Amino acid sequence: MYEALDFEALLAVVRDEPDLDRVAIAWWLALERVGIRGENPKYTLMLPGALDGPQRQLAEALASRDVVDVVSMGIPGTKRLLMRWLGRTAPTVLERPITVVRDGATVTLPVWKAWETAPDELTEFGQGVPSDVAAQLTGAELIEAAGEAMLEEGYSLPYPFEARVQEALDAHAAEAAPWALRFLADLVQLSGGRPLDTVPGYSVATHAAATVIGTLALLPVVRAGIPLDPAWDLFVPHAGDPASVRTLLNALPEERREAVVWHRLSTTWGPRGDQCINGFEANLGAVELAPSERTFGFVVRQYRNCRRHFAKSKEKILARFDAIVAKHPSLASVYAPQKPAAKKPAAKKPAAKKPAAKKPAAKKKSAAKKKSARD
């Protein structure tokens, strides 16, 4: 559709076309024109200082849009990250320059690039923040780096929530509260009150990713003694590290806590989830913190529908059910064994009528008798 357009015309489409699907097509073609897409495509982001004239023109054209949702290839594909990458908005710790050794040479790179290019031996099993990067960050900055890396997939950073980040959360969560408040404000603006996986440019669709983002953003706020705003309830996790989940759910008033758990229960039990004991355990743990007829009834139904899959854990599950009922007697009716409805006795069919007995046919008189009778 846009193959015949010259570069300036392609830029105009990227900048001004209201149809996001058409923008994506023009973007893909423009990437090839500026040398980013080719035999050796640059799926990871380039350093902003390495952009040549046409590449920067393309980045600036995309940045002028209100809504950005394209493939991050060399240039970020989301508005929030693109503006920061171009230096138009305040940087996070990921954009701070640090000095590291890469391929035998000492180089100065932004944190995100130093992290992306780190050899596996510097990470925790190929994940987490590399040791030479983590050594140059405070505990609060480690939390910030992990949260930003989880949200902004354009940086193509590995899963960050490993031992170093967990240790930072345990010891320094409150120190990360200033970043967390800014981050939560961005999440609220991005989400518009709906799950992030529905927001153009963000595919944090897995509940594991949403759990990590919520934990990293909210735990610093709670540890700093700041009340949780109702607008943040959408990001409160019900699964993940049990201690963090307990801390976050207990920071909510009872009604909001129950509503958060119910929302998670009713939206996170995915395909074949009814056969996943790990998911069920997370659900049951959340219900223990926010029991109600609908939340407890949910996990009871899950168990009853999947007894065969949960057979090995049966006794432990039932003991936890009993403990919930003992603490909250009003839920006993939810847990009561379900008896099959009694069948009504079938109505008796009226007895079939016997056919009436046939009268014996009258014998015919003989011809002689008929004749004498006439005489």
Side-chain angles (χ1 to χ4, degrees), residues 41-91:
K42 299 176 182 177
Y43 287 99
T44 56
L45 297 188
M46 301 169 64
L47 291 168
L51 295 173
D52 62 23
Q55 290 168 347
R56 180 163 287 278
Q57 279 184 286
L58 180 57
E60 298 285 353
L62 189 66
S64 66
R65 299 188 61 85
D66 291 330
V67 178
V68 176
D69 179 18
V70 295
V71 175
S72 289
M73 180 178 282
I75 298 171
T78 61
K79 179 85 172 185
R80 180 176 181 269
L81 183 54
L82 179 58
M83 297 296 282
R84 212 165 72 211
W85 184 78
L86 286 170
R88 292 195 185 179
T89 54

Side-chain angles (χ1 to χ4, degrees), residues 193-205:
R194 62 191 193 276
L196 280 172
D197 60 318
T198 66
V199 178
Y202 291 88
S203 58
V204 284

Side-chain angles (χ1 to χ4, degrees), residues 252-319:
L252 295 171
E254 185 176 348
E255 287 187 6
R256 283 169 57 194
R257 180 165 64 246
E258 195 274 348
V260 163
V261 171
W262 173 247
H263 174 72
R264 297 294 182 272
L265 292 179
S266 59
T267 59
T268 64
W269 198 244
R272 299 189 65 80
D274 55 352
Q275 298 176 14
C276 174
I277 188 64
N278 291 337
F280 176 79
E281 285 283 346
N283 289 349
L284 179 52
V287 167
E288 287 169 333
L289 295 172
S292 67
E293 287 191 7
R294 62 178 181 174
T295 59
F296 185 46
F298 187 93
V299 294
V300 168
R301 288 193 300 275
Q302 283 181 342
Y303 170 72
R304 285 176 174 161
N305 291 339
C306 308
R307 287 188 183 91
R308 180 168 61 87
H309 297 287
F310 298 161
K312 291 182 179 179
S313 302
K314 174 183 175 180
E315 297 305 321
K316 292 181 179 179
I317 291 172
L318 295 182

Side-chain angles (χ1 to χ4, degrees), residues 293 325 327-334:
E293 287 191 7
V325 172
K327 193 172 180 180
H328 304 277
S330 63
L331 300 180
S333 60
V334 176

Side-chain angles (χ1 to χ4, degrees), residues 336-353:
Q338 294 175 332
K339 296 181 180 179
K343 292 183 178 180
K344 293 181 180 180
K348 292 183 179 180
K349 295 181 179 180
K353 292 182 178 181

Side-chain angles (χ1 to χ4, degrees), residues 23-283:
V23 172
I25 295 170
W27 171 255
W28 197 244
L29 292 169
L31 286 173
E32 188 169 27
R33 299 278 183 93
V34 299
I36 291 178
R37 183 170 75 90
E39 293 182 2
N40 298 302
K42 299 176 182 177
Y43 287 99
T44 56
L45 297 188
M46 301 169 64
L47 291 168
L51 295 173
D52 62 23
Q55 290 168 347
R56 180 163 287 278
Q57 279 184 286
L58 180 57
E60 298 285 353
L62 189 66
S64 66
R65 299 188 61 85
D66 291 330
V67 178
V68 176
D69 179 18
V70 295
V71 175
S72 289
M73 180 178 282
I75 298 171
T78 61
K79 179 85 172 185
R80 180 176 181 269
L81 183 54
L82 179 58
M83 297 296 282
R84 212 165 72 211
W85 184 78
L86 286 170
R88 292 195 185 179
T89 54
T92 68
V93 71
L94 288 182
E95 289 78 42
R96 181 204 296 169
I98 59 173
T99 300
V100 292
V101 176
R102 294 290 178 265
D103 298 326
T106 300
V107 292
T108 299
L109 298 169
V111 166
W112 67 267
K113 197 66 174 179
W115 183 350
E116 178 203 324
T117 56
D120 283 350
E121 58 266 25
L122 296 180
T123 64
E124 304 164 74
F125 307 105
Q127 298 185 126
V129 183
S131 58
D132 63 346
V133 174
Q136 301 184 60
L137 303 178
T138 66
E141 289 169 344
L142 265 176
I143 297 168
E144 176 181 346
E148 293 289 349
M150 284 299 301
L151 178 64
E152 296 292 359
E153 295 184 326
Y155 274 146
S156 302
L157 298 174
Y159 181 76
F161 202 171
E162 294 294 344
R164 295 184 184 100
V165 174
Q166 183 62 66
E167 290 168 7
L169 269 177
D170 293 340
H172 304 285
E175 298 165 28
W179 161 77
L181 291 171
R182 296 191 302 270
F183 188 68
L184 285 163
D186 285 353
L187 292 182
V188 170
Q189 184 177 18
L190 282 172
S191 69
R194 62 191 193 276
L196 280 172
D197 60 318
T198 66
V199 178
Y202 291 88
S203 58
V204 284
T206 67
H207 300 298
T211 291
V212 173
I213 290 171
T215 301
L216 291 168
L218 293 168
L219 205 55
V221 176
V222 171
R223 292 275 172 79
I226 301 170
L228 295 181
D229 190 304
W232 305 338
D233 288 1
L234 182 65
F235 314 117
V236 177
H238 91 281
D241 172 58
S244 298
V245 170
R246 189 177 302 108
T247 297
L248 293 175
L249 287 177
N250 283 336
L252 295 171
E254 185 176 348
E255 287 187 6
R256 283 169 57 194
R257 180 165 64 246
E258 195 274 348
V260 163
V261 171
W262 173 247
H263 174 72
R264 297 294 182 272
L265 292 179
S266 59
T267 59
T268 64
W269 198 244
R272 299 189 65 80
D274 55 352
Q275 298 176 14
C276 174
I277 188 64
N278 291 337
F280 176 79
E281 285 283 346
N283 289 349

